[in-house]
Amino acid sequence: MRRRVAIKRWDRPSRRSWAGEFAAIMAVALLVLTGCRSEMYEQPRYEPLEPSSLFEDGSSARPLVAGTVPRDDPRGAPPAGVPDEVFYTGWSQGKLVESVPFPVDRAVLERGQERFRIYCTPCHGELGDGRGMIVRRGFNPPPPYASEELRKQPIGHYFDVMTRGFGTMYSYASRVPPRDRWAIAAYIRVLQLSQHAEAANLPAEDRNKLPAVDEASAPRSQP
Amino acid sequence: MPQIFHPSANTLSRLTLFGMAVGPLGLLIVSYLLIRSPYQTGVRVIREQPVPFSHEHHVGGLGIDCRYCHTSVETSSFAGLPPTHTCMTCHSQIWSTSPMLEPVRTSLAMKQPIVWTRIHNLPDFVYFNHAIHIQKGIGCVSCHGRVDKMPITWKEEPLTMEWCLECHRHPERHLREKREVFNMEWAPPVPEQLEIGRHLIEREHIEVDRLTNCSVCHR
């Protein structure tokens, strides 16, 4: 009988082998060692952008439901008295907005310059002349900001282009929040002015720095 | 009485004593070296990616700012990886038929995100936050190395606790002005760095003593 045989084997101490016990101890040790690097290292929660098998697109990050309103950051909200439509779209009752819906000071322009250099210079260039690095590598060249048509556009147009995209240019709404988009729009005006400045309008100290400029010299364009 | 042990047993016993003293030390040294080796930390190990994306081309060659793609690095704990839409702002026209970019186009068409292989990944019991480091003036280079020279992305620093603490004890060695944070070429000015660093610690209200508290990173 099987059971008796087994008992008999244990009864013979002289020929007892430790191999079985040794293997068991090693197996437990191995389990303990491999167990070290799991639970606390990979806790059962999602890290940002971790894949998930729950959803069809395989991503744990879910897109916002249409119409979601951010609740947390008051800096992202429209200033008091400004309608949402103006602040978030650049349109007001079917017409493009003519001015930035909050006061523009030096800080806003500097913010605009910084953001412009991150998101727009690759194509539009530092000067907004449409000769950025990506254009030099073969991207469809955009028009220079200082062109006649673009200078005539109300400032809401620039905001609208960033928000919804324009022709071959994609939308930047997901990367540039509305306030920064307004700051960039204001900075585009600075770039346009820089290409059409008149020496006569400069403060005296700056004018003196220009080599050989006198009041009579022909302006580069009409204001 | 006959000798039980052969004279060679003397040598053997000395060897055994020596082994008992040195063996554990050697074992410690070997395991320490192993823990610090790329086998464990993954430093400079190349990982397979679905698209052979090159920071050397895009950052070094074309001069694109980190934030064009890693948009949330200034404001959130997570630097963020670019969605397919970001690649397509340029690759809708540039290299738009290249087979190398096929996964990007498929991803856009099928609305399935590209699955990048993560290179940096702290254990889940460690809390890390990009925004605070960027806002206080720690450059990307200090932790990620010369990304603009990487034809394929790798990990430059081991990200061990020892490594984090080295800087948390002496942030003055690494602090810089905020406008230089994204500058890949910035190097600390040699004799003056410590002085500038100490000035920045004061200006940015960094409490150095507090930075080594366990609960800063294990919360």
Side-chain angles (χ1 to χ4, degrees):
Chain A
M1 268 192 278
R2 235 147 111 246
R3 207 150 151 242
R4 264 228 346 250
V5 174
I7 291 167
K8 242 180 147 182
R9 213 156 54 106
W10 284 107
D11 281 348
R12 279 182 308 203
S14 56
R15 291 182 57 193
R16 184 168 171 187
S17 144
W18 289 93
E21 282 87 342
F22 185 71
I25 290 172
M26 287 319 278
V28 169
L30 212 66
L31 274 179
V32 167
L33 281 178
T34 49
C36 275
R37 256 205 105 84
S38 62
E39 275 157 30
M40 292 303 276
Y41 280 76
E42 298 297 336
Q43 293 166 14
R45 59 175 162 84
Y46 289 125
E47 284 182 21
L49 303 192
E50 200 170 307
S52 159
S53 53
L54 273 182
F55 301 99
E56 243 175 38
D57 63 0
S59 160
S60 65
R62 305 316 306 152
L64 294 182
V65 177
T68 305
V69 179
R71 142 194 118 154
D72 48 2
D73 192 354
R75 285 167 303 176
V82 176
D84 281 1
E85 190 199 8
V86 171
F87 190 74
Y88 291 120
T89 67
W91 289 83
S92 176
Q93 291 157 356
K95 282 207 335 229
L96 284 163
V97 174
E98 297 279 348
S99 65
V100 180
F102 51 85
V104 175
D105 53 15
R106 196 183 173 90
V108 169
L109 290 180
E110 274 168 2
R111 176 81 182 169
Q113 180 183 49
E114 187 194 57
R115 296 293 120 175
F116 181 85
R117 288 187 173 158
I118 298 169
Y119 297 107
C120 316
T121 43
C123 297
H124 289 274
E126 290 259 327
L127 287 174
D129 56 3
R131 300 289 305 147
M133 193 52 139
I134 309 302
V135 172
R136 275 182 259 159
R137 297 298 166 100
F139 204 89
N140 181 20
Y145 291 148
S147 71
E148 201 62 36
E149 284 118 83
L150 274 177
R151 280 201 301 148
K152 271 197 232 129
Q153 290 284 6
I155 200 159
H157 176 65
Y158 312 138
F159 187 91
D160 185 50
V161 170
M162 280 180 262
T163 310
R164 295 194 301 164
F166 186 92
T168 46
M169 176 180 145
Y170 277 36
S171 155
Y172 282 77
S174 64
R175 275 181 279 166
V176 191
R179 221 188 148 80
D180 285 347
R181 269 178 261 154
W182 283 114
I184 293 178
Y187 183 67
I188 290 179
R189 281 277 189 257
V190 173
L191 288 173
Q192 290 171 339
L193 196 66
S194 77
Q195 304 296 298
H196 289 269
E198 279 194 48
N201 293 342
L202 290 174
E205 52 179 303
D206 286 343
R207 196 167 48 217
N208 292 339
K209 283 192 208 141
L210 294 175
V213 172
D214 55 292
E215 310 284 280
S217 70
R220 276 165 53 205
S221 73
Q222 297 308 312
Chain B
M1 205 173 102
Q3 288 277 335
I4 300 176
F5 295 107
H6 189 264
S8 69
N10 282 343
T11 327
L12 212 69
S13 69
R14 278 198 203 103
L15 263 178
T16 314
L17 281 175
F18 182 75
M20 272 163 71
V22 176
L25 197 74
L27 212 65
L28 269 179
I29 293 176
V30 169
S31 49
Y32 181 73
L33 288 179
L34 206 67
I35 287 170
R36 309 245 308 190
S37 73
Y39 173 74
Q40 176 71 16
T41 59
V43 168
R44 285 175 175 257
V45 172
I46 303 288
R47 298 273 157 84
E48 182 93 21
Q49 298 285 5
V51 183
F53 177 81
S54 159
H55 281 91
E56 190 182 31
H57 253 119
H58 290 86
V59 179
L62 302 169
I64 307 173
D65 194 288
C66 309
R67 288 163 286 182
Y68 191 93
C69 295
H70 303 298
T71 312
S72 59
V73 72
E74 287 169 298
T75 50
S76 119
S77 65
F78 183 66
L81 289 180
T84 310
H85 178 272
T86 301
C87 307
M88 290 307 276
T89 51
C90 297
H91 288 293
S92 59
Q93 290 196 17
I94 286 178
W95 288 49
S96 56
T97 52
S98 153
M100 238 194 276
L101 285 161
E102 188 51 45
V104 179
R105 292 189 296 270
T106 321
S107 156
L108 192 77
M110 310 291 287
K111 291 198 165 52
Q112 292 282 327
I114 304 174
V115 183
W116 300 105
T117 313
R118 284 207 65 163
I119 298 156
H120 302 75
N121 198 355
L122 289 174
D124 287 0
F125 54 77
V126 181
Y127 174 77
F128 179 77
N129 191 321
H130 273 97
I132 181 86
H133 292 95
I134 305 310
Q135 297 298 342
K136 298 283 168 129
I138 302 289
C140 312
V141 188
S142 301
C143 302
H144 294 302
R146 288 300 297 267
V147 175
D148 61 330
K149 295 206 169 142
M150 296 181 187
I152 196 109
T153 325
W154 63 72
K155 193 170 155 186
E156 185 74 28
E157 301 288 348
L159 306 193
T160 51
M161 177 161 144
E162 181 191 6
W163 174 79
C164 305
L165 286 176
E166 191 277 320
C167 179
H168 276 208
R169 290 197 185 107
H170 304 286
E172 67 274 10
R173 294 182 192 157
H174 303 274
L175 284 168
R176 52 176 93 181
E177 289 288 346
K178 263 181 258 176
R179 61 171 181 279
E180 302 291 353
V181 163
F182 298 90
N183 182 352
M184 286 278 124
E185 265 141 36
W186 186 90
V190 176
E192 308 99 58
Q193 173 59 28
L194 289 184
E195 205 176 306
I196 298 174
R198 283 196 204 99
H199 166 69
L200 287 174
I201 285 182
E202 214 160 292
R203 201 186 72 193
E204 303 291 337
H205 309 291
I206 297 173
E207 296 168 47
V208 180
D209 306 340
R210 201 183 52 89
L211 273 184
T212 44
N213 287 356
C214 312
S215 58
V216 163
C217 308
H218 304 293
R219 37 176 103 184

